[in-house]
């Protein structure tokens, strides 16, 4: 993945745990929450066209494109306490799965408020 800094500088700069050279950082993978944080802070992220499927190096599991799953597969991702009537649309099921609370990245600490703090060095 190619990440472009919103305020690029010549040379090296380190920001949000990434090292940028001339305003660009190249990484093999990003955790979805880190990717979201970068996008929210104005970073531009471009997928590597040579990589067939993105992979979460930190988690060790492939990133799942929820829009490509069937309704049955989406229902399997929902916990028992989430109600989804039989007439729930595919888009509504995707929204229900997206709204589920994410587990902290391995090595992270759950803050108890829906957020997690990573302990990266």
């Amino acid at each position: 993945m190619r990440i472009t800094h919103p305020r690029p500088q010549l040379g090296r700069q380190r920001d949000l745990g990434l090292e940028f050279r001339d305003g660009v950082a190249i990484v093999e993978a990003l955790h979805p929450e880190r990717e979201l944080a970068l996008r929210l802070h104005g970073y531009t992220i471009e997928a590597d066209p040579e990589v067939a499927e993105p992979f979460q190096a930190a988690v060790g599991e492939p990133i799942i494109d929820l829009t490509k799953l069937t309704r049955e597969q989406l229902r399997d991702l929902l916990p028992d306490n989430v109600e989804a009537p039989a007439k729930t649309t595919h888009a509504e099921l995707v929204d229900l799965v997206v709204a589920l609370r994410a587990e902290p990245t391995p090595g992270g600490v759950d803050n108890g408020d829906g957020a997690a703090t990573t302990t990266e060095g």
Side-chain angles (χ1 to χ4, degrees):
M1 295 180 154
R2 177 185 171 97
I3 305 168
T4 305
H5 198 287
R7 296 169 305 285
Q9 298 175 3
L10 288 178
R12 293 182 180 197
Q13 69 187 108
R14 188 160 178 79
D15 204 2
L16 295 175
L18 298 170
E19 185 169 321
F20 293 83
R21 291 187 181 149
D22 297 332
V24 176
I26 306 293
V27 297
E28 288 186 25
L30 280 175
H31 189 275
E33 290 177 5
R34 177 173 268 195
E35 181 177 347
L36 177 61
L38 288 166
R39 289 185 190 279
L40 289 174
H41 285 89
Y43 293 79
T44 303
I45 302 172
E46 300 172 56
D48 187 345
E50 296 177 9
V51 177
E53 278 189 47
F55 191 79
Q56 299 177 34
V59 181
E61 299 174 0
I63 296 172
I64 299 170
D65 183 353
L66 297 176
T67 61
K68 293 182 180 178
L69 297 181
T70 65
R71 289 174 50 177
E72 183 177 329
Q73 290 170 320
L74 290 167
R75 286 181 188 282
D76 289 342
L77 295 174
L78 294 172
D80 293 335
N81 64 345
V82 175
E83 290 189 31
K87 293 184 179 183
T88 305
T89 66
H90 186 270
E92 291 170 334
L93 286 169
V94 169
D95 290 342
L96 287 172
V97 172
V98 168
L100 295 175
R101 183 177 173 165
E103 294 295 320
T105 303
V109 177
D110 186 347
N111 295 335
D113 61 356
T117 305
T118 60
T119 55
E120 294 178 1

